[in-house]
Amino acid sequence: MLELYNHDMSVCAAKVRFAMAEKELEYTSHMVNLLTREHKTPEYLALNPNGVVPTLVHNGHVIYESTIINEYLEEKFPQTPLMPKTSQGKARVRKWTLQLDTNIHSATSVLSTCIAFRDFFLAMPPEDLELHFTNQPGADPLKMERHNDNIKNGVDSKYFVHAVMAFDKLLIEMDKELSGIEPWLAGNKFSLADIGYAPYIRRLEHLQLRSMWDNCPHLSDWYERLQHREAFRVAILDWDNLAYINNMAKKGEREWPLVKKIISSMRQS
């Protein structure tokens, strides 16, 4: 029995749903309301002490962190393989998934919060917002400080420019990797690398930042191929939350000129 504790618009949860959809795995979904801090309750922290989504429970065994979950699923359910067979191919996949975990996920959080999600927090009653700022069980102190700065200062956060720069560099690297004859990030076969990046590129699209890859034709083609996969619809499109998406679209359109200016300035320096 598979159970997935997730959130509809979480990029990490989408990664796991995508892998499960590709493997045609059936599971019970438990929605975790992040705005009401369900992920910080004692009951949820007993499952996942990091206080984040997703969390997978397989026959009573708990696994968390989306990259680890996807590799676990690959080993437990090897039908419809999502990892190359060769050591070199596996290394290519892990090169990309490592970058997600060490850099790109935090950059995504910064862009999402600074541009759009901060409004959800700022709409809280003052006492609830203060609780959010000061009481985040399971959170890394540095991550907590960054998150709070993003809410308080928006695009003026000291982390915003770095996040834009990280994504600009990433998109160029992805386009270069996809510029050869191989259609996917780790070679000829669709893999966990492509699954990993799909929700992050879609997040940029929701934030009205698609123009960031206007000069990346190979990346554009890759993203087009992704969207035609049935599992993309099942795992991502079918989970779209219009309240989140409409907010991201409205706020992202407003901030695109600033993002464009940051990119232009960086490339000229």
Side-chain angles (χ1 to χ4, degrees):
M1 178 180 178
L2 289 166
E3 300 176 78
L4 184 67
Y5 291 80
N6 73 132
H7 182 269
D8 47 15
M9 295 302 291
S10 160
V11 288
C12 290
K15 283 168 55 179
V16 174
R17 293 196 305 262
F18 201 169
M20 296 176 86
E22 287 285 344
K23 290 179 175 292
E24 299 183 340
L25 298 176
E26 294 185 1
Y27 63 94
T28 299
S29 174
H30 303 287
M31 282 289 290
V32 180
N33 191 323
L34 304 182
L35 289 178
T36 60
R37 295 169 58 83
E38 286 185 357
H39 57 309
K40 300 300 182 182
T41 62
E43 295 79 10
Y44 188 76
L45 289 170
L47 272 181
N48 185 333
N50 293 338
V52 296
V53 292
T55 301
L56 180 74
V57 181
H58 180 214
N59 293 334
H61 182 63
V62 179
I63 309 100
Y64 46 86
E65 296 301 323
S66 56
T67 298
I68 295 173
I69 292 173
N70 278 358
E71 291 214 14
Y72 175 88
L73 292 170
E74 178 67 8
E75 292 184 7
K76 285 291 185 179
F77 306 95
Q79 63 272 27
T80 315
L82 297 171
M83 283 287 275
K85 293 182 179 180
T86 67
S87 298
Q88 293 87 347
K90 290 182 174 68
R92 287 182 67 180
V93 170
R94 290 174 177 136
K95 175 191 74 171
W96 287 106
T97 57
L98 177 64
Q99 187 174 181
L100 274 180
D101 293 341
T102 58
N103 188 24
I104 298 306
H105 181 73
S106 61
T108 304
S109 177
V110 171
L111 294 184
S112 301
T113 303
C114 289
I115 291 175
F117 292 172
R118 67 188 296 255
D119 291 350
F120 292 119
F121 296 103
L122 295 177
M124 292 178 173
E127 60 275 15
D128 291 346
L129 181 59
E130 185 60 27
L131 177 65
H132 183 80
F133 284 146
T134 59
N135 184 22
Q136 298 184 32
D140 175 85
L142 293 177
K143 180 180 177 181
M144 183 173 168
E145 191 279 333
R146 182 181 67 235
H147 179 66
N148 292 349
D149 186 40
N150 295 334
I151 293 173
K152 293 174 182 177
N153 298 307
V155 295
D156 293 324
S157 164
K158 62 185 177 182
Y159 301 99
F160 186 73
V161 170
H162 175 76
V164 173
M165 293 169 60
F167 259 109
D168 185 57
K169 181 174 180 289
L170 169 73
L171 296 173
I172 293 171
E173 289 176 351
M174 291 179 70
D175 191 65
K176 182 178 179 181
E177 185 85 351
L178 293 161
S179 64
I181 61 173
E182 297 174 324
W184 302 109
L185 284 172
N188 287 319
K189 296 291 183 67
F190 180 81
S191 75
L192 291 179
D194 306 290
I195 283 174
Y197 279 85
Y200 290 87
I201 301 303
R202 182 159 169 79
R203 175 59 55 83
L204 291 183
E205 186 174 40
H206 282 155
L207 290 168
Q208 304 300 297
L209 301 180
R210 187 179 181 117
S211 292
M212 289 184 72
W213 65 86
D214 277 350
N215 295 319
C216 299
H218 309 292
L219 172 59
S220 294
D221 290 345
W222 168 86
Y223 188 50
E224 187 69 23
R225 288 192 294 276
L226 268 181
Q227 294 176 85
H228 283 94
R229 299 184 75 87
E230 175 65 11
F232 186 91
R233 180 192 63 78
V234 170
I236 298 178
L237 298 183
D238 286 354
W239 290 76
D240 278 349
N241 183 320
L242 291 181
Y244 278 84
I245 291 172
N246 291 339
N247 182 57
M248 285 189 282
K250 180 180 178 181
K251 302 301 169 49
E253 185 176 6
R254 182 187 66 192
E255 302 300 348
W256 165 243
L258 173 61
V259 173
K260 183 178 180 180
K261 181 179 179 181
I262 292 170
I263 294 171
S264 177
S265 176
M266 177 187 66
R267 291 179 179 179
Q268 292 174 8
S269 63

